[in-house]
Amino acid sequence: MIKRFFYSLSLVAALSLGSCTSEEHFIKEADYRAKVEADFAAKQQVFSHGNLFDVFKGNMTQEEREAMMFMYAYMAGSDISDYSGEYYLNNVRHSLQNRKEASWGKQIPDMIFRHFVLPIRVNNENMDNAREAFHKELWPRVKDLSMRDAVLEVNHWCHEKVVYTPSDIRTSGPMATVKTAYGRCGEESTFLVAALRSVGIPARQVYTPRWAHTDDNHAWVEAWVDGQWYFLGACEPEPVLNLGWFNAPASRGILMHTKVFGAYNGPEDVMKQTANYTEINIIDNYGQSAPAEILVTGADQKPVAGADVEFKVYNYGEFYTVAHKVSDEKGCATLSAGLGDMLVFASANGKFGFQKVSFGKDKQVNIVLDKQEGDPVTLPFDMVPPAEKANIPEVTPEQRAENTRRMNEEDAIRNAYVASFPTEEKAKAFADEQKLDADKTVACIIKSRGNYAEIMQFLKNAVAKNMGERALALLSTVSDKDLRDTPCSVLEDHLYNTDAQADVNEVLAPRIENELLTPYRSYLQKNIPASLAEQFKNDPQQLVNWCKDSLTVRDDLNTGAAVASPAGTWNSRVTDSRSREIFFVAAARSMGIPAWKDAVNGNIYYRHNGELTHVNFETAVAQRPSEGTLKATYKPISRLNNPKYYSHFSISKYDNGSFRLLNYPENATWESLLKNGTPIETGYYMLVTGSRLANGSVLSNVTFFTIEEGKTTTVDLVMRDNAEEIRVIGNFNSEATYLNPETKEEVSILSTTGRGYYIVGVLGVGQEPTNHALKDIEVKKADYEKWGRKIVLLFTDEAAYKKFDRKAFPNLPSTISFGIDTDGKIRKEIATNMKLNNGGQLPVFIIGDTFNRVVFQSQGYTIGLGEQMLHVIHGL
């Protein structure tokens, strides 16, 4: 990986872009080339500190120079300040060379190559040397294939390396994902896009920012093949393109988008144009859509131009913004979306308004800005997601069998690599040898997965310096993902450049938010002048002032959510608001000043002489935290005694015309948070609640309230109930049999469960929807065991049974019995009786009884399944 935190030379005042005119242009359209040149020159002017464009002094062909100019014109400021020009030039040269070598290189239009092959960045991941490394492994496997077969082959290679597992929101770089051997969907799709581009195949990451019918989001990949875009599930190879477990959920999607690097002028609907990317709307690739026009007016009914218009989907207990528009001179903003409901929020000049919009029904909706901060408002909304209309391509039995065979081989390759990671026994032996706390050490090493050598070296070196326990304390402050991708050298930078007596969480900790960990401490200590550092230590407010006066904040030049490293911010002096916050905390900690970013409200604080100060970069005036108390009353509805944060409710704070979610811990509930009151920053807030119904619809309620300093505000937490009683929705023969894999005998559901209610599930082993479902059930282990009824989980065949790794799900209820669905007869019966399309998308779950009645059914991707089934069970 080539990672650059600073340059030491000065910027050349004028940059010559001249080259021999006989050389080939990379950007052949003269008008677009002129635009790129102008945008490049503007970027140079902004980033004039730190010699960040020195690479352009070197020798390049005209093609290379124009490609580099395109990259620099549109890359985020953080990418300019944190990665060397040589890194980008090496990648550009690799891409151009690969285009010449690949049989499909000549058929890729310049525009497609420019935006979907050349760029290195996919999302907000740490960029690395994946392009070169992946090409070496992949090229021999794909060079003689057709473009279509090459796409499928690359995905099989990706499955050899990585499988789905949930993780935190920071996106690992492709090389780190390989090292770990798993990743969430955003990392898998980033990985696949990087792999496809490494062999010259155009690819883009597709996101549904949030599902409308269930909590969560998803990311996958589209690849350009022979003039057309096709989709595929990352690291989840299928025999054909346009097939994945998410075909059905995607048909219910309300919005799909992709962020295209640079100023893109393709045929798709443009949702947003930023300095770094063009966001395009591709919902029509997956389901039906319709446009809706939003007319924003003031209380006087006159159109409001320049209003912020946010399109929001109910998901994870909040109304989450999936698209953002600005009203035109006529007060209008338009969006095309799937045929379901969104809440649209508009604001301007200190006023706001909101309205539900049903796409496909509402052609124009008038939102009146008739509310303002401080207004107490409570309103209910019934939110209906798009209906399912899946389009499933045909796969022959032979294709399916061959794909399954290959996937099993790929699982074996990946599992062999994972088996090389230290076992608990080996990790404990290391802890004993180093005389370290066994439990803490073993936990760190096991969590580090393929990065174990770096973590063990860090601990070993620290022990040699009599700092073993301090090293473990540092590791206790970082995330599991940090353990998986942080080099020993970065950890040592923080350990050995921090006072041994400094507070662990407020000074020693290298992590500030969810950024990539970098060795900023020694760099800042070396580069911040001693006299200036002394001022900051004596009065940390002077550091706030310095950040306000000396850093140029250009949020418009860093729109892709990748933050600049603290060293990069110091060197370039141009940054974005979020990177400025991270820089402040990093600089403070580097000088021994306790500082942090609050995990719940996102505020920046420092501690000086025992006093806590809330940082405000806009005014640079020291502020003491101002708080009140929030309490909520709750009248229980059936089957829900204690609503959960994110699952049933959320709280957001009003901030400059928009609402910002408070990120309480995932285990927060009404009882733990609001029943007896919780301290909360003064201001104006929105409480959202929602009851998710089985069909994906939501009964929501929105309440606005104000928190005053030193006072207690009490609100009602209203969970709207579904008045429908549980009813029989189908039938299933409880005498149906399955194979007991231990005894090799056919046994019936009835003989396993006894009389009464039970759960039957048919699993798709290794597939993301099944993993989600089992994790959801694990979370509710105690509740299922308290219920005491049997859960029968069936595999599609013996190979799937053998493939299933029970260690990956250690907390499943003890009431589970495993079996094999012989010839798929149980899945077929469920699909037939419940009228499921295409045999039912795995996993399929039902709750039934031995009178052959079914009261609950779920198929495919469903977040919160464990709780949904318990909701039904508690009502039986």
Side-chain angles (χ1 to χ4, degrees):
M1 177 177 64
I2 304 174
K3 180 81 173 172
R4 201 249 340 244
F5 298 112
F6 62 95
Y7 273 127
S8 58
L9 302 176
S10 60
L11 180 67
V12 176
L15 175 66
S16 171
L17 297 176
S19 275
C20 176
T21 56
S22 64
E23 292 186 30
E24 182 179 355
H25 281 292
F26 175 72
I27 305 173
K28 298 181 175 61
E29 315 98 300
D31 57 343
Y32 189 82
R33 187 165 62 248
K35 172 178 173 51
V36 171
E37 289 174 351
D39 291 342
F40 174 75
K43 188 68 71 70
Q44 273 188 288
Q45 187 173 5
V46 173
F47 288 87
S48 59
H49 189 278
N51 288 325
L52 302 175
F53 292 81
D54 276 4
V55 67
F56 287 92
K57 296 177 183 178
N59 292 324
M60 296 183 229
T61 66
Q62 179 168 279
E63 185 181 33
E64 292 169 350
R65 190 173 295 276
E66 289 181 3
M68 285 286 285
M69 191 169 58
F70 168 74
M71 295 281 284
Y72 271 75
Y74 302 113
M75 70 172 65
S78 58
D79 290 349
I80 292 176
S81 61
D82 276 345
Y83 298 83
S84 73
E86 289 73 19
Y87 168 76
Y88 292 113
L89 182 57
N90 288 339
N91 277 276
V92 163
R93 286 173 171 165
H94 182 279
S95 297
L96 294 174
Q97 180 63 31
N98 188 233
R99 188 182 190 185
K100 293 179 174 67
E101 293 176 350
S103 61
W104 48 78
K106 292 181 180 179
Q107 65 177 290
I108 301 173
D110 289 344
M111 182 181 71
I112 296 295
F113 181 86
R114 182 168 67 225
H115 293 281
F116 301 107
V117 177
L118 185 71
I120 307 160
R121 178 167 296 291
V122 180
N123 194 318
N124 59 357
E125 76 282 5
N126 170 50
M127 296 190 294
D128 52 34
N129 277 346
R131 184 158 303 199
E132 184 176 357
F134 290 180
H135 181 271
K136 288 179 181 178
E137 278 201 44
L138 278 167
W139 188 240
R141 291 172 62 157
V142 303
K143 63 180 181 178
D144 297 323
L145 300 178
S146 69
M147 201 173 190
R148 180 184 297 264
D149 288 342
V151 170
L152 297 172
E153 183 64 28
V154 170
N155 207 20
H156 276 290
W157 177 85
C158 288
H159 183 242
E160 288 180 12
K161 306 293 185 183
V162 176
V163 70
Y164 173 81
T165 297
S167 65
D168 67 46
I169 63 173
R170 178 168 70 82
T171 306
S172 293
M175 298 286 280
T177 301
V178 171
K179 198 173 188 180
T180 298
Y182 64 54
R184 57 178 173 79
C185 62
E187 289 162 330
E188 288 182 306
S189 51
T190 296
F191 170 46
L192 175 56
V193 169
L196 288 168
R197 290 180 180 176
S198 78
V199 292
I201 296 175
R204 61 195 189 191
Q205 183 184 51
V206 177
Y207 254 105
T208 178
R210 296 288 175 99
W211 296 114
H213 70 286
T214 188
D215 291 336
D216 209 2
N217 65 352
H218 192 52
W220 57 91
V221 172
E222 286 187 346
W224 188 93
V225 177
D226 302 328
Q228 185 175 337
W229 289 101
Y230 296 85
F231 71 82
L232 63 162
C235 308
E236 298 168 334
E238 293 284 357
V240 297
L241 297 175
N242 283 353
L243 179 62
W245 62 260
F246 52 88
N247 281 63
S251 73
R252 304 191 73 183
I254 204 160
L255 188 69
M256 313 292 180
H257 69 180
T258 188
K259 294 179 179 179
V260 184
F261 183 91
Y264 174 68
N265 53 3
E268 299 92 347
D269 174 38
V270 174
M271 294 173 58
K272 182 193 297 184
Q273 182 80 61
T274 78
N276 309 131
Y277 64 83
T278 305
E279 186 173 281
I280 58 175
N281 187 354
I282 53 175
I283 181 66
D284 289 334
N285 290 1
Y286 301 93
Q288 290 181 293
S289 70
E293 183 182 68
I294 308 302
L295 174 61
V296 183
T297 62
D300 57 4
Q301 291 302 309
K302 292 182 179 180
V304 178
D308 289 318
V309 182
E310 299 178 63
F311 295 83
K312 296 174 174 285
V313 172
Y314 180 89
N315 190 290
Y316 277 135
E318 67 165 322
F319 280 106
Y320 178 84
T321 300
V322 296
H324 182 273
K325 300 272 188 172
V326 177
S327 63
D328 61 21
E329 66 279 359
K330 296 180 180 179
C332 293
T334 302
L335 179 72
S336 290
L339 307 183
D341 295 344
M342 287 196 203
L343 188 68
V344 181
F345 182 94
S347 63
N349 306 317
K351 300 281 189 176
F352 69 88
F354 51 93
Q355 185 70 44
K356 186 179 85 168
V357 176
S358 297
F359 288 84
K361 296 179 182 178
D362 299 331
K363 293 184 179 181
Q364 186 182 73
V365 174
N366 181 201
I367 296 182
V368 182
L369 306 184
D370 58 356
K371 299 173 181 64
Q372 63 184 357
E373 184 174 358
D375 288 351
V377 181
T378 298
L379 288 172
F381 292 100
D382 294 355
M383 310 301 293
V384 180
E388 181 181 316
K389 196 175 182 181
N391 181 21
I392 311 293
E394 186 175 337
V395 176
T396 67
E398 293 77 17
Q399 287 175 314
R400 177 57 63 199
E402 174 60 14
N403 195 73
T404 300
R405 182 194 67 78
R406 289 202 63 182
M407 289 184 70
N408 289 336
E409 287 183 351
E410 291 149 14
D411 286 335
I413 293 170
R414 186 181 60 258
N415 291 337
Y417 165 65
V418 172
S420 69
F421 300 167
T423 61
E424 289 191 15
E425 183 180 6
K426 289 182 178 179
K428 187 176 185 305
F430 172 82
D432 292 343
E433 177 186 323
Q434 300 298 320
K435 295 181 172 56
L436 290 169
D437 181 282
D439 291 341
K440 294 177 182 177
T441 305
V442 169
C444 288
I445 292 173
I446 296 301
K447 289 176 180 178
S448 67
R449 293 181 65 82
N451 197 46
Y452 65 88
E454 299 287 336
I455 299 303
M456 293 172 76
Q457 190 65 53
F458 170 65
L459 290 172
K460 185 176 182 180
N461 292 350
V463 168
K465 297 176 183 290
N466 296 316
M467 295 185 71
E469 291 305 315
R470 185 72 169 171
L472 281 175
L474 184 152
L475 293 180
S476 73
T477 70
V478 303
S479 70
D480 291 355
K481 188 168 290 181
D482 295 332
L483 294 172
R484 300 196 293 265
D485 68 3
T486 306
C488 170
S489 59
V490 172
L491 297 170
E492 290 187 335
D493 176 82
H494 295 279
L495 180 65
Y496 302 139
N497 291 292
T498 304
D499 187 282
Q501 304 305 314
D503 183 85
V504 171
N505 293 301
E506 296 179 5
V507 179
L508 174 64
R511 167 145 311 290
I512 297 163
E513 194 192 41
N514 58 8
E515 76 285 1
L516 178 77
L517 297 187
T518 61
Y520 60 76
R521 210 167 297 235
S522 59
Y523 174 83
L524 294 178
Q525 289 172 355
K526 177 181 177 182
N527 285 275
I528 296 175
S531 59
L532 191 60
E534 194 63 26
Q535 290 181 38
F536 295 161
K537 292 177 188 177
N538 293 333
D539 181 7
Q541 194 61 31
Q542 294 303 312
L543 176 58
V544 180
N545 296 339
W546 187 93
C547 290
K548 179 180 182 295
D549 298 335
S550 301
L551 296 178
T552 299
V553 175
R554 291 291 301 271
D555 289 333
D556 60 316
L557 297 181
N558 198 14
T559 53
V563 299
S565 72
T569 296
W570 173 269
N571 187 48
S572 69
R573 304 296 165 90
V574 180
T575 191
D576 58 275
S577 298
R578 183 175 167 218
S579 298
R580 178 176 61 180
E581 293 175 344
I582 289 172
F583 171 81
F584 171 83
V585 175
R589 289 180 179 176
S590 298
M591 291 175 285
I593 303 166
W596 63 95
K597 184 169 186 175
D598 188 89
V600 174
N601 61 30
N603 291 339
I604 303 296
Y605 298 98
Y606 68 80
R607 197 187 307 278
H608 184 59
N609 293 332
E611 288 194 2
L612 187 65
T613 298
H614 173 200
V615 172
N616 186 322
F617 292 110
E618 305 309 315
T619 64
V621 174
Q623 296 178 333
R624 300 294 174 260
S626 175
E627 292 183 338
T629 299
L630 174 63
K631 296 179 72 173
T633 61
Y634 171 61
K635 183 179 180 181
I637 62 174
S638 61
R639 292 164 276 162
L640 184 60
N641 292 322
N642 188 19
K644 290 179 59 180
Y645 201 78
Y646 302 117
S647 294
H648 305 116
F649 72 99
S650 68
I651 303 168
S652 299
K653 187 176 188 293
Y654 189 69
D655 182 13
N656 195 28
S658 187
F659 282 89
R660 176 168 44 88
L661 180 71
L662 300 187
N663 293 298
Y664 287 106
E666 291 187 8
N667 61 355
T669 65
W670 165 70
E671 286 187 350
S672 67
L673 196 64
L674 300 177
K675 183 178 181 180
N676 299 313
T678 190
I680 188 169
E681 186 181 15
T682 56
Y684 188 52
Y685 289 86
M686 174 174 63
L687 168 67
V688 175
T689 66
S691 299
R692 177 82 71 179
L693 307 184
N695 65 3
S697 297
V698 175
L699 304 177
S700 71
N701 197 76
V702 179
T703 301
F704 298 86
F705 59 91
T706 300
I707 297 293
E708 299 180 72
E709 185 170 12
K711 296 183 179 180
T712 297
T713 299
T714 302
V715 298
D716 293 328
L717 195 155
V718 178
M719 293 299 304
R720 296 173 59 208
D721 202 1
N722 179 8
E724 295 180 349
E725 294 182 359
I726 293 175
R727 62 185 188 278
V728 175
I729 59 174
N731 59 79
F732 172 78
N733 179 16
S734 61
E735 295 282 2
T737 61
Y738 66 92
L739 180 70
N740 183 318
E742 303 298 329
T743 65
K744 305 298 183 183
E745 296 179 350
E746 287 283 326
V747 294
S748 70
I749 298 292
L750 176 61
S751 67
T752 304
T753 65
R755 291 291 177 184
Y757 283 101
Y758 57 81
I759 294 174
V760 170
V762 184
L763 310 180
V765 176
Q767 297 175 4
E768 182 174 344
T770 290
N771 291 351
H772 264 300
L774 295 181
K775 291 294 183 183
D776 284 344
I777 291 171
E778 278 191 307
V779 171
K780 297 294 181 180
K781 174 182 179 179
D783 296 285
Y784 282 107
E785 291 184 340
K786 183 178 180 180
W787 181 45
R789 301 297 303 158
K790 278 289 187 179
I791 302 173
V792 181
L793 299 183
L794 303 175
F795 302 94
T796 53
D797 52 36
E798 187 171 4
Y801 170 73
K802 291 180 178 178
K803 177 181 175 182
F804 181 67
D805 182 8
R806 296 195 192 187
K807 293 180 181 178
F809 306 96
N811 295 312
L812 287 173
S814 59
T815 51
I816 287 178
S817 293
F818 291 101
I820 297 172
D821 183 16
T822 312
D823 299 324
K825 57 177 178 280
I826 287 182
R827 180 184 179 187
K828 291 175 185 175
E829 176 162 346
I830 294 174
T832 300
N833 292 340
M834 304 305 298
K835 297 181 173 58
L836 305 182
N837 295 327
N838 305 299
Q841 296 292 309
L842 296 179
V844 174
F845 281 86
I846 64 168
I847 299 177
D849 67 8
T850 45
F851 293 102
N852 297 337
R853 300 176 300 187
V854 175
V855 296
F856 173 87
Q857 170 269 319
S858 171
Q859 64 168 324
Y861 188 69
T862 304
I863 295 298
L865 176 72
E867 184 166 342
Q868 286 186 31
M869 291 196 296
L870 282 171
H871 186 73
V872 173
I873 287 166
H874 292 159
L876 295 174

